[in-house]
Amino acid sequence: QVQLADSGGGLVQFGGSLSLSCAASGSIDTIYAMGWYRQAPGEERELVAIITSGGTTNFSDSVKGRINIPRGDARRVVYLQMNSLTPKDTAVYYCNEKGPLREYWGRGSEVTVSS
């Protein structure tokens, strides 16, 4: 069974930076991509950033230019690094892994940006 352990987050000051990490475990035949989504209070879950197995990245327009999604040395580890945070970035951030039949989710890391 695939499990995603995401960590990081917490309270961040306006203009500060964020660093999250995610490690996946469990058997999966093929990994199409790993990435991050977020869900703000009262909003739907939305894509933040994703990186395919081939290294192609896709970022939400709301975070372009202030985000990085490096992969770890291990095969199924991914990070999220974001700076210049504003209260609009307040959300629960979820790690995501996409396989051939379904996708998997971490439990989420809450991030609160103070104004």
Side-chain angles (χ1 to χ4, degrees):
Q1 182 178 358
V2 174
Q3 291 186 326
L4 274 63
D6 45 20
S7 62
L11 181 63
V12 182
Q13 289 188 340
F14 184 96
S17 61
L18 168 68
S19 181
L20 303 176
S21 63
C22 175
S25 61
S27 178
I28 187 170
D29 290 335
T30 303
I31 301 167
Y32 289 163
M34 291 188 73
W36 296 90
Y37 289 70
R38 68 184 180 185
Q39 187 168 16
E43 302 291 333
E44 294 186 353
R45 193 172 297 188
E46 64 175 3
L47 171 70
V48 178
I50 197 164
I51 182 167
T52 69
S53 59
T56 300
T57 55
N58 185 28
F59 301 119
S60 166
D61 288 342
S62 63
V63 300
K64 281 182 180 177
R66 59 189 184 97
I67 192 170
N68 191 23
I69 181 170
R71 288 186 292 195
D73 292 336
R75 176 169 168 254
R76 296 168 71 190
V77 173
V78 68
Y79 303 96
L80 178 69
Q81 300 167 342
M82 193 160 66
N83 54 40
S84 301
L85 294 173
T86 75
K88 290 183 178 181
D89 296 310
T90 293
V92 178
Y93 286 71
Y94 295 92
C95 181
N96 175 272
E97 183 177 71
K98 299 186 188 300
L101 299 177
R102 57 166 291 184
E103 57 187 346
Y104 302 88
W105 297 93
R107 296 181 63 180
S109 296
E110 188 169 359
V111 175
T112 303
V113 183
S114 61
S115 58

